[in-house]
Structure formats: C-alpha cells, structure tokens
Amino acid sequence: MSAGLVRLNPFSHAWGVTVESNIIPVPTRVTRSSGIAANFLCDTVAYMLGFDAKGKPERAKQAFRACAELHRRILGDVADPSAAAVLAFFSQEPQWGTARRLMGDKAWESAVTMNFVLQYDDGEHVVFIDDCIAVQEAWNAYYDREDADGDDALSCSLVSGEPVVPAKIHPKIKGVTGAQSSGASLISFNAPAFCSYGLEQNENASMSKREAYEYTTTLNTLLADRDRVQRIGDDTVVSWARCGEPAYADVFGGTVFNRWRINGQTEQSSGGLEETTVKAATKSLAQGRPYDFDGIHLAPDEEFHVLALSPNSARLSVRFYLTNTFGAFARNIERHYRDLEIRRPKYDTTTFMSTWRLLNQTIRPQSKNAKVSSEMAGSVMKAILNGTPYPTSLINAVEIRINAEHDVSPDKAAIIKAYYLRKTTNEQFKEVLQVDIKEDSDYVPYVLGRLFSVYEQIQRAAIPNINTTIKDKYFTSAAATPARIFPILGDLAAKHMRKTWQSKGYKVKLEKALGELTDKVGDRYPSRLSLEERGAFQLGYYHENQQRFNKTRNEDNDVQGADND
C-alpha cells in the first residue's frame, strides 16, 4: 500500500499480539455473545475488511460498517495523519479483494482466521496506529465517556471514591483451574435477589469501565504467567510485590510451595529454586535483612500480596486475599517450618515439609478418588501466612487417618506437634511438644503413648516375625479409653516377658523402661482421653519409637526370640 495509507497485519491473537518477540498493546476488547460489536484498531477479517469467512456475507458487511462507524466516532475530531488515514480507509467499500490480491491466495487462507492490527505508513516509517499519542487520547476520552447517560448515571466508585459511570459487565478472568476455559466473572450480579435500590448487574459493586478493565487485565496477566501460579487444593494462588519485581513471587513460591531444585531436579515444576537459596532467603528476610537473589535486591519491607481464587461454575470467589510486608510473610513461613520440625527416621531427609505434602496427610494415600478439602487447604494456607492457629479441620482429618491406619507417621506427628503448639493452653502438654522425646515428662497421656510403644516392642521381641501387633488391634482404642485397654496390654506384656528371648540385655532394657513408665502412670488409668490428650498419646508413641530406632546400640539388640508360640 502507498504512503499515507493504512496497512493491515494479521496476527493470531486479539491482544497482547507478539511480533518479533515484542508485545503490541491494543485497546480494550469488547465481550461478544451475540449481535455485532466492533473493536477499535484490531479485529477479525469480517470487521476490518468485511470478508465473509463463515458463510454470512451480509453479516460481514454489517460488521464492517459497524467497525467504520466506531472509528468515525472516536477519530472524527482527531487532527493526526494516522487518524485521517484510518477514516479514509473505512470511508470506502470493503477492501478484502485488494488485501487478498496483495497477500496472495496461500497467505490469505491463513489470514482469514486471524485478527488484523492497523498500521500507518507515512512513506518513511510504518508504525502501529495505537502507538500514536493523539489516537490514544481520543480512545481514552471515548472509553471514559462511553455508556454515560447524564449525571443520573453516576455513582461513587468503590475503588477511587470518585463519581463514575458504573460498568454493568466486567471482563472475565481466565487461567483459574476448574473455572470455564473461556473465563469466569469475579464480580457478577445476574438475579433480582442480588440487587438492591433499583441497581442492576454490577452497578451494585460500582466501578468504572476503566477500573474494571484494569483489575481484570492485571489478574489475567498474573494468571498467564504459569511459572508463578500455584495450586492449593482446588484454589489458584497468585502473588506479587507492589514494586512489580517477579523475583519476590519466585522466592515466595519456593518457600511456601517448595518449588526448588534438589540435585538439579525440581520437586514440583520447572523454574524451581535451589533448596539452599530458599533457606537462605527465608532466614535473611525473616530476620529483617535484605537478600540479593539473581542480582535483585529483595527488601523485607516490600509490600506483598497473596490472592487465592476458587472456581465456582461461571464465577470466581476469593478464598483469601492477604497483604503484608515480604519480611512478615517470611517470618510466619519460617515459624511454620520450625513448628513442623520433628525427629525423623535416618532415611527421611525432609527439611521443609511442603504444603501439598502436609495436606496429603489428611486423605487416604494412593487413592484415586481422595481429594483434599478446598476449604481446609485455604484455611491452612492462611494460618501459615498469618502465623495464626491451624484450622480444627486439619487435626480432625489427621486423627481420622491415624485411626484408620493405626500408626503415626513422621509427617502426621509433625502436624500434631505444630497444631497444638499454636492451640493448647495446657502447660504440661506444651512441654512435650518438642522435636525429640521428653523423657522426664509426667504428663499421663504422653507417658501412655510411650508405654504403648514399649508394650509393642516387648511383643515384637517375644514373637519374631509377627504380622499383626497390638498396634493393629488396640492402638485407636488405647488412645481413646486407656482404662479399658491398658490392663489388657499389661497382662499380654507379662506373658511376653516370661518367654525365652535371644537377647537378655534387650529384655532387661525393656523391663526397666516398662517399670519407669508404669511408675509415672500409677495404677489408675484415665477412663477417656480428649482429642487433645489423644494427640499427646500419639506424639508420645511416635517419640518413643524414634528413640528406639535411632539411638546408638548393639544391632543384636534388635534380634528377637525364637521358638515362641
């Protein structure tokens, strides 16, 4: 095309178009459901050239005329050569035939499925028309006054507090897992029950079209960056720093979701950080000291935001939205991992128990249908980031799994310890909420858990290669009603002690441990233990087991007796 005229370039996206690795910003797109609605400066072949690509030639002509009218309304008073060129272009009949001839049949076949962006050729340079300042100003003026209907249409914006013409429909949010792929609304009123004072649709949550566009565009941009989007349960979590530096979100993802690399392998997804980097960054920021990450200076006082969006049919709901300094979040996260710290078997090298791993302790392992509760997952995440008590639903779910499995795994023991560190007011219980065993504790529920472990050790030593122990039969009932079960366990232990053992030294050690623990309990067992006391019982059982497994002793001590019935 000659100088001073419009050029059209076809691209595969409606906005954020990529050309030679650069992003072309284009004006806000309209939401189309039915009918004809034109976009400014960028649209399909039907609107830009009036070409029939869907077997509806008359509709394509109407679309072209609507697009021409839109550009005349916006650019009619603009004294700029590029604006004049656009008006001249749309003053003619549809020119798809000329475009097809210039592009060639093969290129045209691909172009008809794309969107076209307008450019201006002044004979020396070719520029995108939406880069022209005068055109931008004309669009902004049109966008701000569109749909205005006098002073009666104004209402107070919830965002700025200024009088605005409220947008009745907000753009949709895309990229939330579980929501519709075409996008879902974060703010939406579509029934009379949701409306009040004669206001319709989103007039009930008043904000201007520009404000609605800004928050939805920002969210869509954040959600499009999949390397920085996290999942927690069914919720999609995005985070950002006020300064806009993405390194904050990278470090946050590493600390909370454990997206780091171990020996070069990323634990959860690509782009993870080294574990040592995560530890160093969290420790430094938690102590209020800046941290340099990949040449970026991370400041502990930087304002940081975390948003969790939950899908719900065609709408989205906010599971939580938290704002604090980055250093404060780091302190709460560090405290969370400190609370979860517990003595583990030698083969378990876990340093940070990730959030997804913690939540998986609440469901049946290896079950295809088991699903973590979204409500609980969101509540756990809020507790981690705010440094508040964990939700009761967490300990209830863990207790159900312990009762079903008749065992206390290291991860479940860590959860018990962390939960009650923030919850209990019982000073005796607080004394045993430690990384390792508290041997001098007289707290009866804790001692009973240790005693149960000793009873089990005695049974295993007396009956080698046993498949089902007292843990499988009595663990849950012993933790709930000790007075009914422990006399039975005591009688069984006495019988087991009378058997012949290969290791007399091991027998003496267990007999001594049994005597010390029974002396602490006395001859009166509690008739029933509360949920909190059961937690102490389970923690005592776990601590005693780890004390046995990890302590330094002759390996022969583990050899069990033979020829026992």
Side-chain angles (χ1 to χ4, degrees), residues 316-336:
L316 303 177
S317 60
V318 176
R319 181 72 67 187
F320 61 79
Y321 175 47
L322 306 177
T323 301
N324 209 329
T325 64
F326 198 63
F329 281 129
R331 284 192 295 275
N332 291 334
I333 293 167
E334 186 183 49
R335 179 193 172 190
H336 164 69

Side-chain angles (χ1 to χ4, degrees), residues 466-478:
I466 187 172
N467 293 323
T468 302
T469 69
I470 59 172
K471 179 185 69 174
D472 303 295
K473 187 175 182 179
Y474 293 111
F475 186 79
T476 299
S477 53

Side-chain angles (χ1 to χ4, degrees), residues 18-140:
T18 302
V19 181
E20 298 177 356
S21 302
N22 294 320
I23 301 298
I24 303 173
V26 296
T28 310
R29 321 310 296 156
V30 296
T31 301
R32 292 181 183 136
S33 54
S34 61
I36 293 176
N39 286 307
F40 185 57
L41 298 182
C42 177
D43 217 317
T44 64
V45 66
Y47 284 89
M48 286 294 184
L49 290 171
F51 178 74
D52 168 28
K54 298 182 178 180
K56 298 179 180 179
E58 187 58 36
R59 191 180 190 281
K61 292 179 182 178
Q62 293 174 4
F64 179 79
R65 287 196 290 267
C67 193
E69 177 58 29
L70 174 67
H71 285 79
R72 279 193 290 268
R73 287 203 306 269
I74 297 174
L75 301 177
D77 297 327
V78 177
D80 186 272
S82 62
V86 172
L87 295 177
F89 175 82
F90 281 111
S91 67
Q92 304 177 53
E93 289 299 312
Q95 302 182 58
W96 62 267
T98 303
R100 179 174 183 174
R101 177 175 54 80
L102 292 174
M103 296 178 66
D105 289 342
K106 186 175 182 180
W108 175 254
E109 289 178 4
S110 299
V112 296
T113 63
M114 300 180 182
N115 290 274
F116 285 77
V117 179
L118 296 181
Q119 292 181 308
Y120 174 65
D121 185 352
D122 64 2
E124 296 182 0
H125 304 94
V126 178
V127 297
F128 289 100
I129 293 177
D130 53 5
D131 286 338
C132 300
I133 301 302
V135 173
Q136 292 177 3
E137 292 175 349
W139 165 253
N140 288 333

